[in-house]
Amino acid sequence: ETVKAYPSMLTASLKHELAAAGRIYLLARYLDQQGKGWLPVEDMRQVLTKKGSALRVCGWRRLRQIFHQGEGIFWQRDGNGRLWLAGAAKIGQNLACERFQGKPIALPVQALLGGIQAVRAHFYASFHSSRKEAAPISRETLRGITGVPERTQLEYDQVAQIRRESN
């Protein structure tokens, strides 16, 4: 199972250190099967924090912190216990993406369920999967685009199994 994701949005999430909120947003989009654009917070709490849940990624306290972190960027909460999900264009605007480059990708939901390092690695790898050409790109350029230091890029290459070639 996959969720539609925009690589520009994922790399901007990395750059602004919002990978945890980005993961919860993508899982919320996955859970919103009907496409209503909102989910009850209590339902998300049960699915994302309950022990034994297939989509458990954190505890309730951490989820509350992430809800606060992503407020106004990825979603808005109302007084009725609902989380209203922002659209991709609004998130791009909130994260100062000038425009989305490349085509959206189908990110496996399983990639969002591991530890946060694995999630960040997949967000980083999404940039490579959206590139049109296989032209070489320096680690320094990647750092400017994603905000990920060169040493961490090497770690993410291993975690996300990115095949690299030296120029």
Side-chain angles (χ1 to χ4, degrees):
E1 300 189 354
T2 62
V3 63
K4 181 180 174 182
Y6 293 89
S8 297
M9 184 176 74
L10 299 180
T11 55
S13 297
L14 277 177
K15 198 169 194 175
H16 294 282
E17 297 182 8
L18 293 169
R23 166 172 56 179
I24 297 300
Y25 172 79
L26 292 173
L27 287 171
R29 279 285 173 205
Y30 171 73
L31 292 171
D32 184 21
Q33 299 287 326
Q34 298 172 353
K36 293 185 289 187
W38 62 271
L39 292 166
V41 172
E42 189 56 38
D43 290 355
M44 290 185 66
R45 177 182 181 177
Q46 291 297 318
V47 173
L48 300 177
T49 65
K50 190 174 182 182
K51 290 185 179 176
S53 172
L55 297 178
R56 184 180 196 280
V57 293
C58 61
W60 172 234
R61 180 178 291 168
R62 178 67 181 130
L63 187 61
R64 280 196 331 248
Q65 292 169 346
I66 293 170
F67 281 161
H68 180 70
Q69 184 183 32
E71 183 77 26
I73 300 170
F74 293 102
W75 49 70
Q76 294 289 333
R77 291 177 73 170
D78 67 9
N80 298 325
R82 290 184 287 200
L83 190 78
W84 290 86
L85 303 173
K90 183 69 173 172
I91 294 171
Q93 182 182 15
N94 292 337
L95 294 176
C97 287
E98 293 178 13
R99 65 185 181 115
F100 286 161
Q101 296 178 338
K103 295 181 180 180
I105 61 167
L107 187 65
V109 173
Q110 197 64 33
L112 300 170
L113 301 179
I116 194 66
Q117 181 188 25
V119 172
R120 287 183 184 129
H122 286 287
F123 282 17
Y124 168 76
S126 71
F127 168 77
H128 294 295
S129 62
S130 71
R131 292 179 61 208
K132 293 179 184 175
E133 11 177 293
I137 187 167
S138 71
R139 296 269 180 209
E140 187 177 329
T141 302
L142 285 171
R143 181 181 189 149
I145 294 169
T146 63
V148 177
E150 290 84 353
R151 176 74 184 165
T152 308
Q153 290 175 27
L154 293 170
E155 292 173 17
Y156 288 172
D157 286 346
Q158 285 182 331
V159 171
Q161 298 176 351
I162 298 170
R163 187 178 57 86
R164 59 185 186 267
E165 295 177 9
S166 57
N167 188 6

mmCIF file of all heavy atoms in Angstrom, residues 43-73:
data_model
loop_
_atom_site.group_PDB
_atom_site.id
_atom_site.type_symbol
_atom_site.label_atom_id
_atom_site.label_comp_id
_atom_site.label_asym_id
_atom_site.label_seq_id
_atom_site.Cartn_x
_atom_site.Cartn_y
_atom_site.Cartn_z
ATOM 1 N N ASP A 43 -9.668 9.073 16.570
ATOM 2 C CA ASP A 43 -9.403 7.939 15.675
ATOM 3 C C ASP A 43 -7.917 7.843 15.354
ATOM 4 O O ASP A 43 -7.344 6.753 15.334
ATOM 5 C CB ASP A 43 -10.201 8.063 14.373
ATOM 6 C CG ASP A 43 -11.691 7.850 14.577
ATOM 7 O OD1 ASP A 43 -12.105 7.517 15.725
ATOM 8 O OD2 ASP A 43 -12.447 8.029 13.605
ATOM 9 N N MET A 44 -7.297 8.992 15.090
ATOM 10 C CA MET A 44 -5.862 8.995 14.799
ATOM 11 C C MET A 44 -5.078 8.530 16.014
ATOM 12 O O MET A 44 -4.102 7.793 15.889
ATOM 13 C CB MET A 44 -5.413 10.390 14.366
ATOM 14 C CG MET A 44 -5.940 10.790 13.005
ATOM 15 S SD MET A 44 -5.278 12.348 12.466
ATOM 16 C CE MET A 44 -3.564 11.947 12.257
ATOM 17 N N ARG A 45 -5.521 8.960 17.179
ATOM 18 C CA ARG A 45 -4.859 8.537 18.417
ATOM 19 C C ARG A 45 -4.902 7.019 18.540
ATOM 20 O O ARG A 45 -3.891 6.386 18.862
ATOM 21 C CB ARG A 45 -5.531 9.192 19.610
ATOM 22 C CG ARG A 45 -4.953 8.765 20.923
ATOM 23 C CD ARG A 45 -5.679 9.405 22.083
ATOM 24 N NE ARG A 45 -5.072 8.974 23.338
ATOM 25 C CZ ARG A 45 -5.442 9.398 24.512
ATOM 26 N NH1 ARG A 45 -6.406 10.289 24.623
ATOM 27 N NH2 ARG A 45 -4.861 8.954 25.596
ATOM 28 N N GLN A 46 -6.048 6.425 18.300
ATOM 29 C CA GLN A 46 -6.189 4.971 18.414
ATOM 30 C C GLN A 46 -5.305 4.246 17.404
ATOM 31 O O GLN A 46 -4.616 3.286 17.738
ATOM 32 C CB GLN A 46 -7.658 4.561 18.214
ATOM 33 C CG GLN A 46 -8.574 4.994 19.318
ATOM 34 C CD GLN A 46 -8.210 4.342 20.642
ATOM 35 O OE1 GLN A 46 -7.903 3.166 20.717
ATOM 36 N NE2 GLN A 46 -8.216 5.146 21.693
ATOM 37 N N VAL A 47 -5.316 4.704 16.172
ATOM 38 C CA VAL A 47 -4.593 4.005 15.105
ATOM 39 C C VAL A 47 -3.079 4.206 15.203
ATOM 40 O O VAL A 47 -2.319 3.266 14.996
ATOM 41 C CB VAL A 47 -5.098 4.476 13.717
ATOM 42 C CG1 VAL A 47 -4.250 3.905 12.605
ATOM 43 C CG2 VAL A 47 -6.552 4.082 13.526
ATOM 44 N N LEU A 48 -2.640 5.415 15.544
ATOM 45 C CA LEU A 48 -1.214 5.731 15.508
ATOM 46 C C LEU A 48 -0.475 5.506 16.828
ATOM 47 O O LEU A 48 0.756 5.490 16.837
ATOM 48 C CB LEU A 48 -1.004 7.173 15.046
ATOM 49 C CG LEU A 48 -1.533 7.500 13.655
ATOM 50 C CD1 LEU A 48 -1.333 8.976 13.351
ATOM 51 C CD2 LEU A 48 -0.885 6.641 12.600
ATOM 52 N N THR A 49 -1.209 5.345 17.937
ATOM 53 C CA THR A 49 -0.517 5.217 19.222
ATOM 54 C C THR A 49 -0.843 3.937 19.994
ATOM 55 O O THR A 49 -0.121 3.600 20.921
ATOM 56 C CB THR A 49 -0.840 6.415 20.146
ATOM 57 O OG1 THR A 49 -2.225 6.401 20.484
ATOM 58 C CG2 THR A 49 -0.467 7.724 19.489
ATOM 59 N N LYS A 50 -1.901 3.250 19.648
ATOM 60 C CA LYS A 50 -2.327 2.079 20.414
ATOM 61 C C LYS A 50 -1.363 0.915 20.203
ATOM 62 O O LYS A 50 -1.011 0.582 19.071
ATOM 63 C CB LYS A 50 -3.737 1.674 20.007
ATOM 64 C CG LYS A 50 -4.340 0.628 20.897
ATOM 65 C CD LYS A 50 -5.781 0.369 20.528
ATOM 66 C CE LYS A 50 -6.376 -0.654 21.467
ATOM 67 N NZ LYS A 50 -7.756 -0.947 21.084
ATOM 68 N N LYS A 51 -0.949 0.301 21.297
ATOM 69 C CA LYS A 51 -0.069 -0.860 21.198
ATOM 70 C C LYS A 51 -0.791 -1.969 20.445
ATOM 71 O O LYS A 51 -1.961 -2.235 20.672
ATOM 72 C CB LYS A 51 0.351 -1.341 22.586
ATOM 73 C CG LYS A 51 1.292 -0.372 23.255
ATOM 74 C CD LYS A 51 1.806 -0.901 24.560
ATOM 75 C CE LYS A 51 2.755 0.136 25.152
ATOM 76 N NZ LYS A 51 3.239 -0.236 26.454
ATOM 77 N N GLY A 52 -0.082 -2.593 19.535
ATOM 78 C CA GLY A 52 -0.670 -3.650 18.729
ATOM 79 C C GLY A 52 -1.263 -3.166 17.412
ATOM 80 O O GLY A 52 -1.612 -3.961 16.550
ATOM 81 N N SER A 53 -1.383 -1.860 17.229
ATOM 82 C CA SER A 53 -1.908 -1.314 15.983
ATOM 83 C C SER A 53 -0.863 -1.462 14.880
ATOM 84 O O SER A 53 0.330 -1.266 15.108
ATOM 85 C CB SER A 53 -2.256 0.168 16.159
ATOM 86 O OG SER A 53 -2.592 0.746 14.915
ATOM 87 N N ALA A 54 -1.312 -1.813 13.699
ATOM 88 C CA ALA A 54 -0.393 -1.993 12.567
ATOM 89 C C ALA A 54 0.280 -0.687 12.157
ATOM 90 O O ALA A 54 1.362 -0.707 11.579
ATOM 91 C CB ALA A 54 -1.145 -2.587 11.375
ATOM 92 N N LEU A 55 -0.347 0.445 12.441
ATOM 93 C CA LEU A 55 0.193 1.745 12.052
ATOM 94 C C LEU A 55 0.762 2.526 13.241
ATOM 95 O O LEU A 55 0.947 3.742 13.148
ATOM 96 C CB LEU A 55 -0.881 2.587 11.354
ATOM 97 C CG LEU A 55 -1.423 2.034 10.042
ATOM 98 C CD1 LEU A 55 -2.513 2.941 9.498
ATOM 99 C CD2 LEU A 55 -0.324 1.860 9.029
ATOM 100 N N ARG A 56 1.067 1.847 14.338
ATOM 101 C CA ARG A 56 1.592 2.546 15.519
ATOM 102 C C ARG A 56 2.973 3.111 15.218
ATOM 103 O O ARG A 56 3.860 2.403 14.759
ATOM 104 C CB ARG A 56 1.701 1.600 16.706
ATOM 105 C CG ARG A 56 2.157 2.316 17.964
ATOM 106 C CD ARG A 56 2.273 1.357 19.135
ATOM 107 N NE ARG A 56 2.341 2.046 20.395
ATOM 108 C CZ ARG A 56 3.457 2.598 20.876
ATOM 109 N NH1 ARG A 56 4.586 2.522 20.212
ATOM 110 N NH2 ARG A 56 3.436 3.219 22.032
ATOM 111 N N VAL A 57 3.139 4.413 15.461
ATOM 112 C CA VAL A 57 4.435 5.056 15.212
ATOM 113 C C VAL A 57 4.989 5.774 16.437
ATOM 114 O O VAL A 57 6.173 6.094 16.472
ATOM 115 C CB VAL A 57 4.363 6.045 14.017
ATOM 116 C CG1 VAL A 57 4.136 5.301 12.727
ATOM 117 C CG2 VAL A 57 3.316 7.109 14.228
ATOM 118 N N CYS A 58 4.141 6.055 17.423
ATOM 119 C CA CYS A 58 4.607 6.780 18.605
ATOM 120 C C CYS A 58 3.571 6.652 19.713
ATOM 121 O O CYS A 58 2.511 6.067 19.524
ATOM 122 C CB CYS A 58 4.859 8.248 18.275
ATOM 123 S SG CYS A 58 3.414 9.151 17.701
ATOM 124 N N GLY A 59 3.880 7.234 20.859
ATOM 125 C CA GLY A 59 2.937 7.282 21.966
ATOM 126 C C GLY A 59 2.045 8.519 21.866
ATOM 127 O O GLY A 59 2.288 9.412 21.052
ATOM 128 N N TRP A 60 1.013 8.571 22.713
ATOM 129 C CA TRP A 60 0.059 9.672 22.656
ATOM 130 C C TRP A 60 0.720 11.011 22.971
ATOM 131 O O TRP A 60 0.453 12.014 22.341
ATOM 132 C CB TRP A 60 -1.109 9.398 23.583
ATOM 133 C CG TRP A 60 -2.062 10.555 23.739
ATOM 134 C CD1 TRP A 60 -2.465 11.131 24.893
ATOM 135 C CD2 TRP A 60 -2.728 11.283 22.695
ATOM 136 N NE1 TRP A 60 -3.338 12.164 24.642
ATOM 137 C CE2 TRP A 60 -3.514 12.279 23.291
ATOM 138 C CE3 TRP A 60 -2.734 11.192 21.311
ATOM 139 C CZ2 TRP A 60 -4.290 13.176 22.573
ATOM 140 C CZ3 TRP A 60 -3.508 12.092 20.581
ATOM 141 C CH2 TRP A 60 -4.284 13.069 21.214
ATOM 142 N N ARG A 61 1.615 11.026 23.954
ATOM 143 C CA ARG A 61 2.283 12.276 24.316
ATOM 144 C C ARG A 61 3.071 12.816 23.123
ATOM 145 O O ARG A 61 3.023 14.006 22.812
ATOM 146 C CB ARG A 61 3.206 12.071 25.511
ATOM 147 C CG ARG A 61 3.918 13.350 25.920
ATOM 148 C CD ARG A 61 4.778 13.131 27.135
ATOM 149 N NE ARG A 61 3.899 12.890 28.279
ATOM 150 C CZ ARG A 61 4.314 12.445 29.444
ATOM 151 N NH1 ARG A 61 5.580 12.165 29.629
ATOM 152 N NH2 ARG A 61 3.462 12.272 30.435
ATOM 153 N N ARG A 62 3.819 11.951 22.456
ATOM 154 C CA ARG A 62 4.606 12.383 21.288
ATOM 155 C C ARG A 62 3.681 12.836 20.158
ATOM 156 O O ARG A 62 3.973 13.814 19.460
ATOM 157 C CB ARG A 62 5.535 11.250 20.822
ATOM 158 C CG ARG A 62 6.350 11.597 19.602
ATOM 159 C CD ARG A 62 7.368 12.698 19.898
ATOM 160 N NE ARG A 62 8.117 13.027 18.702
ATOM 161 C CZ ARG A 62 8.287 14.273 18.262
ATOM 162 N NH1 ARG A 62 7.804 15.304 18.925
ATOM 163 N NH2 ARG A 62 8.964 14.486 17.167
ATOM 164 N N LEU A 63 2.570 12.150 19.966
ATOM 165 C CA LEU A 63 1.622 12.544 18.917
ATOM 166 C C LEU A 63 1.066 13.934 19.197
ATOM 167 O O LEU A 63 0.924 14.744 18.279
ATOM 168 C CB LEU A 63 0.495 11.526 18.788
ATOM 169 C CG LEU A 63 -0.467 11.742 17.629
ATOM 170 C CD1 LEU A 63 0.254 11.673 16.284
ATOM 171 C CD2 LEU A 63 -1.602 10.737 17.668
ATOM 172 N N ARG A 64 0.774 14.237 20.461
ATOM 173 C CA ARG A 64 0.304 15.585 20.817
ATOM 174 C C ARG A 64 1.361 16.628 20.480
ATOM 175 O O ARG A 64 1.044 17.710 19.980
ATOM 176 C CB ARG A 64 -0.040 15.656 22.302
ATOM 177 C CG ARG A 64 -1.372 15.081 22.637
ATOM 178 C CD ARG A 64 -1.868 15.493 24.021
ATOM 179 N NE ARG A 64 -0.832 15.766 24.985
ATOM 180 C CZ ARG A 64 -0.571 15.028 26.067
ATOM 181 N NH1 ARG A 64 -1.259 13.945 26.292
ATOM 182 N NH2 ARG A 64 0.373 15.387 26.911
ATOM 183 N N GLN A 65 2.630 16.316 20.745
ATOM 184 C CA GLN A 65 3.718 17.229 20.408
ATOM 185 C C GLN A 65 3.795 17.445 18.894
ATOM 186 O O GLN A 65 3.991 18.567 18.423
ATOM 187 C CB GLN A 65 5.049 16.688 20.922
ATOM 188 C CG GLN A 65 5.178 16.673 22.413
ATOM 189 C CD GLN A 65 6.401 15.897 22.883
ATOM 190 O OE1 GLN A 65 7.018 15.157 22.128
ATOM 191 N NE2 GLN A 65 6.746 16.074 24.150
ATOM 192 N N ILE A 66 3.641 16.363 18.146
ATOM 193 C CA ILE A 66 3.698 16.459 16.679
ATOM 194 C C ILE A 66 2.505 17.252 16.151
ATOM 195 O O ILE A 66 2.650 18.058 15.226
ATOM 196 C CB ILE A 66 3.777 15.057 16.041
ATOM 197 C CG1 ILE A 66 5.112 14.395 16.399
ATOM 198 C CG2 ILE A 66 3.615 15.134 14.531
ATOM 199 C CD1 ILE A 66 5.201 12.930 16.027
ATOM 200 N N PHE A 67 1.325 17.040 16.736
ATOM 201 C CA PHE A 67 0.157 17.836 16.337
ATOM 202 C C PHE A 67 0.440 19.322 16.525
ATOM 203 O O PHE A 67 0.114 20.142 15.672
ATOM 204 C CB PHE A 67 -1.085 17.454 17.143
ATOM 205 C CG PHE A 67 -1.764 16.194 16.688
ATOM 206 C CD1 PHE A 67 -2.629 15.537 17.529
ATOM 207 C CD2 PHE A 67 -1.563 15.671 15.427
ATOM 208 C CE1 PHE A 67 -3.290 14.393 17.129
ATOM 209 C CE2 PHE A 67 -2.204 14.520 15.010
ATOM 210 C CZ PHE A 67 -3.075 13.876 15.864
ATOM 211 N N HIS A 68 1.048 19.666 17.637
ATOM 212 C CA HIS A 68 1.385 21.070 17.900
ATOM 213 C C HIS A 68 2.429 21.574 16.900
ATOM 214 O O HIS A 68 2.328 22.692 16.396
ATOM 215 C CB HIS A 68 1.888 21.224 19.339
ATOM 216 C CG HIS A 68 2.261 22.618 19.696
ATOM 217 N ND1 HIS A 68 1.330 23.619 19.854
ATOM 218 C CD2 HIS A 68 3.468 23.204 19.899
ATOM 219 C CE1 HIS A 68 1.940 24.743 20.142
ATOM 220 N NE2 HIS A 68 3.242 24.529 20.185
ATOM 221 N N GLN A 69 3.429 20.742 16.605
ATOM 222 C CA GLN A 69 4.506 21.122 15.681
ATOM 223 C C GLN A 69 3.975 21.364 14.264
ATOM 224 O O GLN A 69 4.420 22.281 13.578
ATOM 225 C CB GLN A 69 5.564 20.014 15.665
ATOM 226 C CG GLN A 69 6.767 20.314 14.822
ATOM 227 C CD GLN A 69 7.739 19.128 14.803
ATOM 228 O OE1 GLN A 69 7.333 17.974 14.887
ATOM 229 N NE2 GLN A 69 9.016 19.433 14.696
ATOM 230 N N GLY A 70 3.038 20.548 13.814
ATOM 231 C CA GLY A 70 2.519 20.659 12.445
ATOM 232 C C GLY A 70 1.339 21.595 12.289
ATOM 233 O O GLY A 70 0.860 21.820 11.168
ATOM 234 N N GLU A 71 0.858 22.158 13.399
ATOM 235 C CA GLU A 71 -0.291 23.071 13.362
ATOM 236 C C GLU A 71 0.014 24.278 12.488
ATOM 237 O O GLU A 71 1.042 24.926 12.636
ATOM 238 C CB GLU A 71 -0.632 23.523 14.790
ATOM 239 C CG GLU A 71 -1.836 24.411 14.887
ATOM 240 C CD GLU A 71 -3.150 23.658 14.782
ATOM 241 O OE1 GLU A 71 -3.198 22.465 15.109
ATOM 242 O OE2 GLU A 71 -4.122 24.281 14.340
ATOM 243 N N GLY A 72 -0.886 24.568 11.566
ATOM 244 C CA GLY A 72 -0.721 25.717 10.685
ATOM 245 C C GLY A 72 0.165 25.434 9.477
ATOM 246 O O GLY A 72 0.260 26.261 8.579
ATOM 247 N N ILE A 73 0.810 24.282 9.446
ATOM 248 C CA ILE A 73 1.653 23.907 8.310
ATOM 249 C C ILE A 73 1.013 22.751 7.554
ATOM 250 O O ILE A 73 0.737 22.850 6.367
ATOM 251 C CB ILE A 73 3.071 23.521 8.780
ATOM 252 C CG1 ILE A 73 3.721 24.701 9.492
ATOM 253 C CG2 ILE A 73 3.924 23.056 7.596
ATOM 254 C CD1 ILE A 73 5.014 24.352 10.206
#
